[in-house]
Amino acid sequence: MTTSVDRPSGQPTPVPGYVAPAPVPDGIKDVPGLLRWETTPREEAMAIAAELTKESFTYDEVYGRFVTVHQYIDAPPRAVYDYLTDIRHLNEDTYSTRDFAPTDVPGVHQGRDVLLDDTTKIFMRIDADPDALTVDMRCAWDQGRELWMNYLHRIVPAETVLNRPGSVVIWTNCRHPYYDKNPYPELASSPDRPWVGDMWPLFYAGHQVEIDNLKKILEHRFGGGGAA
């Protein structure tokens, strides 16, 4: 059942004396190619938007540089945050990362990624902010000196964006240049092992599966917004 948020009792009023910026501020007058109401007629802007809107898009057009998945989870935002920041839970919600344990580098853990073989090492550090509800998983195959694979999570209270209890999780991965070429081939578990970047065309599907796993686990434990 959807729970409505209480409506505010009053309306904000403008502050007297505030001077708005110029319609075309000096700082952007010389920037070429901007599409703005002041410089582009509505009809022309709509025509440009129509050109950018197609019935179908290739995978590369949508996910060539960035892969983002989203999910609504019927669990409190802080419960989602606490779950994601506990590295042990990667054993539960990911398809293939397992057995993380601390290393001698503070904050860095070593585990296995069994996606393509049984012995690939994966290193990870979780950088998180409980106030912003952000959870950044910084990791890399084979070595822990350069954690270049970044899985960026933002947890949004669903009450704010969907007018219902729970959480919205947004997870983005950027196509770092190392996805195209292994920077440390000498550290691979075997010379003929495929590289993680070879799997980029499956990243959307793989991440969607894992964020769906996250939803199922957390709703099983915290469904309805209550504690387990």
Side-chain angles (χ1 to χ4, degrees):
M1 179 181 296
T2 300
T3 302
S4 298
V5 178
D6 291 338
R7 294 180 180 275
S9 58
Q11 290 288 354
T13 56
V15 175
Y18 173 74
V19 178
V24 183
D26 291 339
I28 65 169
K29 284 182 177 179
D30 298 327
V31 179
L34 296 181
L35 185 62
R36 305 180 70 248
W37 176 81
E38 290 83 1
T39 56
T40 306
R42 293 188 183 94
E43 294 78 7
E44 183 179 344
M46 291 298 179
I48 293 172
E51 291 177 4
L52 296 173
T53 305
K54 303 187 297 183
E55 291 187 2
S56 63
F57 296 84
T58 67
Y59 184 93
D60 197 58
E61 286 174 324
V62 180
Y63 304 114
R65 296 179 60 198
F66 310 96
V67 170
T68 299
V69 294
H70 338 72
Q71 186 57 274
Y72 166 77
I73 300 177
D74 184 12
R78 188 56 193 240
V80 178
Y81 174 87
D82 290 343
Y83 185 91
L84 285 174
T85 52
D86 188 334
I87 200 167
R88 296 171 298 179
H89 290 150
L90 292 171
N91 266 26
E92 299 180 350
D93 65 271
T94 73
Y95 174 76
S96 61
T97 60
R98 298 291 183 269
D99 306 329
F100 282 98
T103 69
D104 59 355
V105 177
V108 176
H109 290 67
Q110 177 184 324
R112 294 185 301 134
D113 192 341
V114 297
L115 181 64
L116 297 175
D117 69 10
D118 292 338
T119 57
T120 292
K121 296 177 182 178
I122 183 170
F123 295 82
M124 181 178 293
R125 184 184 75 242
I126 297 179
D127 297 336
D129 185 330
D131 296 322
L133 292 175
T134 56
V135 182
D136 297 339
M137 299 179 181
R138 311 193 188 281
C139 56
W141 275 14
D142 304 327
Q143 54 79 38
R145 297 187 298 271
E146 188 175 6
L147 301 177
W148 57 272
M149 298 164 60
N150 291 280
Y151 299 126
L152 311 175
H153 299 78
R154 181 173 182 186
I155 305 158
V156 182
E159 191 170 77
T160 302
V161 293
L162 297 179
N163 198 30
R164 61 188 297 192
S167 306
V168 172
V169 179
I170 304 167
W171 171 13
T172 294
N173 181 216
C174 305
R175 188 168 183 169
H176 190 285
Y178 288 173
Y179 279 114
D180 294 325
K181 185 176 180 180
N182 184 355
Y184 303 99
E186 71 281 2
L187 299 178
S189 54
S190 66
D192 57 350
R193 184 203 63 191
W195 179 231
V196 62
D198 299 339
M199 306 297 290
W200 186 266
L202 297 176
F203 266 41
Y204 171 78
H207 291 180
Q208 188 63 54
V209 165
E210 293 186 334
I211 203 170
D212 288 348
N213 283 348
L214 181 71
K215 174 182 175 71
K216 293 169 185 175
I217 292 168
L218 287 171
E219 290 189 348
H220 180 75
R221 296 181 183 176
F222 299 96

